[in-house]
Amino acid sequence: MIDQETTTKELDRRKFLTKAGIGVAGFAAGSAIIAACGSDDDAGPSTTAAPATTAAPTTTSVALASGGPELEWEMGTSWPTALVTLFGSAQMFGEEVGRLTDGRFKINVRPAGEIVGGLEVLPTVRDRGMEMGHTADYYWVGLSPVHQLSTAVPFGLTQRQHNAWLYMGGGLEALRRFYAEEHNLIFFPCGGTGVQMGGWFTKEINTVDDIRGLKMRIPGISGKVFAALGGEQISIAGGEILPAIETGAIDAAEFVGPTDDLILGLDQFAGTLYYYHPGWWEPGTSVNVLLSLDLWNELPPQYQAAIDNAATATNLKTTAMYDNLNQRDLQKVKEFAQIREFSPELMKAFKAETEIVLNDVAAGDAAFAEIYEPWKVFRDGIAEWHGLAERSYLMQQTA
Amino acid sequence: MIDQETTTKELDRRKFLTKAGIGVAGFAAGSAIIAACGSDDDAGPSTTAAPATTAAPTTTSVALASGGPELEWEMGTSWPTALVTLFGSAQMFGEEVGRLTDGRFKINVRPAGEIVGGLEVLPTVRDRGMEMGHTADYYWVGLSPVHQLSTAVPFGLTQRQHNAWLYMGGGLEALRRFYAEEHNLIFFPCGGTGVQMGGWFTKEINTVDDIRGLKMRIPGISGKVFAALGGEQISIAGGEILPAIETGAIDAAEFVGPTDDLILGLDQFAGTLYYYHPGWWEPGTSVNVLLSLDLWNELPPQYQAAIDNAATATNLKTTAMYDNLNQRDLQKVKEFAQIREFSPELMKAFKAETEIVLNDVAAGDAAFAEIYEPWKVFRDGIAEWHGLAERSYLMQQTA
């Protein structure tokens, strides 16, 4: 356990750094569900912790009170406060851990940039510059494609399917083995968006021909799929989407869904906008709570149970929050955009290209392949099951 | 808090009652997700607690240990151990509460019939004959149709939609107000089946004409809908389904989904079976943990948080368990049954009749109407939202 003095010093130093604006990374171009308020030119997530925060591990063990030690931990997130869904998820988690420990285990939830940047969360937590993180791990797909499997996979699992795989299908065990070996980290799923929307288009697209030359803000693997079909993958921050659409620098951009997308300000665009679905590249994007295995192992079992249960409960309630807000905000979106569904021809092409790209990734990365192969079996099995009553019921709801 | 002596006496008496086989109610005909092993002739759920268990309230406060009092509570369930999904859900909840309190708050999870019958859970908990229950509240729809809203409503919300309504759409508040006023109970959602299957048929049905004269084991509101369309509603226990199909006493029977249905032994039937979907009468059946408000209010806030978070986490993991097992057991079902989807004509007729029946219920019950009216608005809003990406994505998974 870390003594009080070190921690106090560390916190003071952080306070200074925050005020001075040092170490505040923005939200970047390379990710899908990050916020619109990114302002720097940072091209992508960092893979090493911000130097300012790596100096000392920071477990705060104030006193061994009745019922457990008093701890005060910092949790960095990848979310600005404006992203009420994901920052809200992190806050909910922190509050529940507090309730579960009678306030003895306090987690200070920090918006992106307050202590470390949104794209510095994983390396900072790994390098013990901060106790906890709340992030979308695929920001670190550059470190390993396995982070795609713990967050979202194109044409992969829906939120419920992902949870079934994680908690009951061996997914959590397989992924945690990788996180332990690779980063000495443990993670807890803590929320999911549901199937995202397919993004904003200034023109209708119906055939593969319509993709040719289309300039789209779309990251990662799905960007590669678009490029393979003749489109042009553009990387810009969320906050730049509106001006880029206005100047014609891009023809299309994907983000998340109605609620998160409203902060992009696209209702200000004078032209016609088409809002496509489904966002096949993110059918169930999960955010995770991260902490180092060393810290985890030092925690009393009761505090471990608190983290575990608070995260799982928040996982469910975050998706509930998304569903509740998205249905409301869909009405606002309909006031300035037209809803469209990707045609069967397009979906077929997207799916075929995605399979090629994913198999390529598996061929080049043994750790990915080891989890991906049984994951595919699970995906096909649960897709068959959900293809019965879940699908036919949803279809009648809109019949 | 109740003293040690009373509780010990009460527990001894229970042990005796269990051994003597007194107060063990079976699983009944009148409900959909209950077990197949019901063996008595009990026609339906009881609305008053079993006399044997109403004598004394039973909070066990052994000692005020460091970090909270030591409690040992009994939790009656409506599930036999053979129902691994729902009894598993109750066990998971009890274990998590134990972990969250360092073993100080112990919950003894009892299968149906061990202390009280599966259909005596709600009144027994209400009348303080037992501290906690884990049940499907719609077994007590005879007490109030509101229990349908806290469990499952025909053509209602899917599991995810139900959770969105409960946790974020005002559902939990509205229902808890009713539970408090009506029963002095509080409840915590603790699991859900997902959209159920539409049941087993010995002949194909395609049109409303095919319903005429069809003898089906189908309970409650959906039974009324079948009857309104010319079918015959039969009430038998799950364990009687196979012999009734074999003798031709019924032409069809609904239960839950692949995993739970396998315990019915329908693979032993020599004739052809058609397994229809979706089970529009149970699109997201929820099970709940129940306890009296008086006991709840006496609990330390930390124990309240433990119940709350353990239940919500178990809620998610129960559906994950259903999804993981159902996809596996679907393969077993396919070996002896043919999968069919209700035709658009049938679904339209079912839906129209259901709307009439539900509006009738609302017209006759003010408490139901008060929750049902805003629930309908929520249902239509979230059905529109899930009708976009969630629906189109699921459709591509089986395209």
XYZ file of all heavy atoms in Angstrom, chain A residues 82-121:
297
model
N -19.570 16.735 -21.336
C -20.678 16.933 -22.292
C -21.217 15.602 -22.813
O -22.362 15.524 -23.252
C -20.217 17.798 -23.465
N -20.389 14.575 -22.788
C -20.844 13.257 -23.225
C -21.551 12.616 -22.023
O -20.971 11.783 -21.317
C -19.631 12.438 -23.692
C -19.847 11.459 -24.854
C -20.410 12.163 -26.088
C -18.537 10.774 -25.222
N -22.789 13.000 -21.818
C -23.502 12.610 -20.592
C -23.645 11.101 -20.459
O -23.724 10.569 -19.354
C -24.914 13.259 -20.511
C -24.797 14.762 -20.397
C -25.777 12.867 -21.709
N -23.681 10.407 -21.574
C -23.831 8.956 -21.556
C -22.601 8.284 -20.949
O -22.712 7.560 -19.961
C -24.016 8.460 -22.994
O -23.049 9.142 -23.829
C -25.409 8.766 -23.509
N -21.440 8.547 -21.544
C -20.244 7.802 -21.117
C -19.605 8.399 -19.871
O -19.146 7.665 -18.993
C -19.246 7.702 -22.277
C -19.781 6.860 -23.447
C -18.793 6.875 -24.611
C -20.066 5.430 -23.014
N -19.594 9.727 -19.772
C -19.106 10.294 -18.522
C -20.085 9.914 -17.401
O -19.687 9.614 -16.280
C -18.932 11.811 -18.617
C -18.223 12.379 -17.416
C -16.887 12.099 -17.190
C -18.911 13.157 -16.482
C -16.228 12.587 -16.059
C -18.265 13.643 -15.348
C -16.925 13.360 -15.139
N -21.361 9.896 -17.750
C -22.387 9.470 -16.790
C -22.166 8.041 -16.315
O -22.378 7.721 -15.139
N -21.733 7.188 -17.215
C -21.449 5.798 -16.857
C -20.319 5.725 -15.837
O -20.406 5.000 -14.838
C -21.065 5.030 -18.138
O -20.518 3.777 -17.829
N -19.261 6.488 -16.082
C -18.121 6.491 -15.154
C -18.545 7.019 -13.783
O -18.162 6.465 -12.746
C -16.993 7.345 -15.730
N -19.347 8.061 -13.786
C -19.820 8.623 -12.514
C -20.684 7.633 -11.741
O -20.556 7.470 -10.531
C -20.634 9.893 -12.780
C -19.775 11.108 -13.092
C -20.635 12.340 -13.323
O -21.557 12.318 -14.128
N -20.341 13.423 -12.612
N -21.573 6.970 -12.478
C -22.469 5.985 -11.862
C -21.647 4.883 -11.185
O -21.919 4.503 -10.042
C -23.333 5.377 -12.972
C -24.671 4.861 -12.559
S -25.443 3.952 -13.954
C -25.811 5.244 -15.125
N -20.642 4.395 -11.895
C -19.768 3.365 -11.345
C -19.094 3.838 -10.056
O -19.110 3.142 -9.031
C -18.714 2.961 -12.387
C -17.589 2.146 -11.822
C -17.760 0.807 -11.519
C -16.352 2.733 -11.562
C -16.725 0.053 -10.975
C -15.303 1.990 -11.022
C -15.497 0.652 -10.722
N -18.527 5.032 -10.099
C -17.832 5.561 -8.920
C -18.767 5.705 -7.722
O -18.422 5.359 -6.584
N -19.974 6.185 -7.993
C -20.950 6.363 -6.907
C -21.348 5.031 -6.276
O -21.495 4.918 -5.057
C -22.210 7.062 -7.441
C -22.045 8.567 -7.551
C -23.105 9.203 -8.446
O -24.165 8.573 -8.675
O -22.853 10.325 -8.924
N -21.530 4.016 -7.122
C -21.957 2.713 -6.584
C -20.851 2.075 -5.747
O -21.129 1.467 -4.713
C -22.412 1.778 -7.710
C -23.703 2.213 -8.400
C -24.876 2.425 -7.438
O -24.994 1.679 -6.448
O -25.668 3.355 -7.674
N -19.610 2.212 -6.177
C -18.504 1.683 -5.367
C -18.500 2.379 -4.007
O -18.313 1.743 -2.964
C -17.143 1.847 -6.087
C -15.986 1.519 -5.144
C -17.082 0.961 -7.323
N -18.751 3.681 -4.013
C -18.830 4.423 -2.754
C -19.950 3.900 -1.861
O -19.752 3.636 -0.669
N -21.120 3.714 -2.443
C -22.264 3.206 -1.660
C -21.975 1.808 -1.102
O -22.365 1.479 0.022
C -23.518 3.104 -2.538
C -24.208 4.416 -2.842
C -25.399 4.156 -3.778
N -26.472 3.409 -3.141
C -27.308 2.572 -3.764
N -27.188 2.352 -5.055
N -28.249 1.943 -3.092
N -21.313 0.990 -1.910
C -21.070 -0.403 -1.520
C -20.030 -0.534 -0.420
O -19.872 -1.614 0.167
C -20.627 -1.217 -2.746
C -21.746 -1.558 -3.739
C -21.169 -2.049 -5.058
C -22.687 -2.605 -3.147
N -19.287 0.535 -0.165
C -18.232 0.468 0.853
C -18.473 1.516 1.936
O -17.540 1.908 2.638
C -16.847 0.696 0.211
O -16.867 1.956 -0.485
C -16.501 -0.406 -0.773
N -19.700 1.969 2.031
C -20.037 2.984 3.036
C -19.146 4.211 2.922
O -18.764 4.813 3.935
C -19.892 2.388 4.443
C -21.253 2.317 5.135
O -22.213 2.927 4.623
O -21.349 1.650 6.175
N -18.787 4.552 1.720
C -17.981 5.750 1.473
C -16.497 5.584 1.759
O -15.729 6.542 1.632
N -16.078 4.367 2.127
C -14.663 4.192 2.471
C -13.766 4.093 1.244
O -12.588 4.390 1.309
C -14.488 2.944 3.351
C -15.135 3.076 4.718
C -14.750 1.932 5.633
N -15.057 0.634 5.060
C -16.248 0.023 5.125
N -17.255 0.603 5.766
N -16.431 -1.153 4.592
N -14.334 3.638 0.134
C -13.561 3.523 -1.110
C -14.087 4.605 -2.048
O -15.123 4.453 -2.686
C -13.771 2.131 -1.705
C -12.887 1.790 -2.875
C -12.975 0.518 -3.449
C -11.964 2.682 -3.400
C -12.178 0.168 -4.534
C -11.161 2.346 -4.481
C -11.279 1.083 -5.043
N -13.344 5.695 -2.099
C -13.803 6.848 -2.872
C -13.083 6.889 -4.209
O -11.859 6.779 -4.273
C -13.517 8.128 -2.088
C -14.200 9.339 -2.670
C -13.953 10.601 -1.872
C -14.563 11.782 -2.627
N -13.907 13.045 -2.324
N -13.840 7.044 -5.277
C -13.245 7.132 -6.616
C -13.572 8.506 -7.198
O -14.743 8.863 -7.352
C -13.778 6.009 -7.529
C -13.327 4.644 -6.986
C -13.285 6.197 -8.961
C -13.932 3.456 -7.689
N -12.531 9.279 -7.474
C -12.725 10.590 -8.092
C -12.730 10.431 -9.603
O -11.710 10.096 -10.202
C -11.603 11.546 -7.680
C -11.584 11.785 -6.176
O -12.627 11.947 -5.546
N -10.392 11.787 -5.586
N -13.866 10.657 -10.194
C -14.026 10.441 -11.634
C -13.655 11.724 -12.379
O -14.266 12.775 -12.156
C -15.481 10.029 -11.949
C -15.676 9.829 -13.442
C -15.842 8.753 -11.184
N -12.661 11.629 -13.248
C -12.124 12.812 -13.913
C -12.475 12.828 -15.387
O -12.204 11.855 -16.098
C -10.599 12.838 -13.793
C -10.077 12.702 -12.379
C -10.435 13.901 -11.548
N -9.770 13.837 -10.233
C -9.877 14.789 -9.315
N -10.613 15.869 -9.541
N -9.259 14.662 -8.158
N -13.034 13.929 -15.865
C -13.246 14.010 -17.312
C -11.904 14.008 -18.054
O -10.857 14.305 -17.473
C -13.976 15.346 -17.507
C -13.803 16.104 -16.249
C -13.507 15.116 -15.160
N -11.968 13.647 -19.315
C -10.755 13.627 -20.136
C -10.088 14.991 -20.086
O -10.757 16.024 -20.165
C -11.123 13.275 -21.569
N -8.793 14.966 -19.933
C -8.050 16.222 -19.949
C -7.874 16.856 -18.589
O -7.057 17.747 -18.416
N -8.623 16.419 -17.596
C -8.481 17.080 -16.293
C -7.171 16.678 -15.633
O -6.484 17.511 -15.046
C -9.666 16.736 -15.387
C -9.663 17.583 -14.115
C -10.940 17.414 -13.301
O -12.027 17.690 -13.834
O -10.839 16.996 -12.139
N -6.850 15.404 -15.712
C -5.553 14.960 -15.178
C -4.711 14.369 -16.299
O -3.576 14.761 -16.494
C -5.745 13.955 -14.017
C -6.405 14.692 -12.835
C -4.399 13.371 -13.605
C -6.642 13.834 -11.629
N -5.291 13.457 -17.032
C -4.620 12.984 -18.254
C -5.631 13.044 -19.400
O -6.842 13.090 -19.187
C -4.076 11.530 -18.139
C -2.950 11.461 -17.139
C -5.188 10.552 -17.812
N -5.093 13.047 -20.595
C -5.942 13.136 -21.772
C -6.766 11.886 -21.980
O -6.424 10.802 -21.486
N -7.831 12.040 -22.748
C -8.731 10.931 -22.997
C -8.056 9.748 -23.668
O -8.485 8.604 -23.502
N -7.008 10.031 -24.405
C -6.334 8.952 -25.126
C -5.041 8.520 -24.439
O -4.180 7.906 -25.033
C -6.089 9.374 -26.574
C -7.401 9.639 -27.335
C -7.135 10.194 -28.709
C -8.242 8.372 -27.425
N -4.915 8.878 -23.182
C -3.754 8.439 -22.394
C -4.167 7.524 -21.248
O -3.336 7.164 -20.409
C -3.019 9.668 -21.830
C -2.364 10.507 -22.914
C -1.878 11.858 -22.410
O -2.184 12.210 -21.253
O -1.220 12.555 -23.193
N -5.436 7.164 -21.215
C -5.959 6.447 -20.052
C -5.291 5.087 -19.845
O -4.757 4.802 -18.766
C -7.499 6.297 -20.148
C -8.023 5.383 -19.048
C -8.172 7.664 -20.064
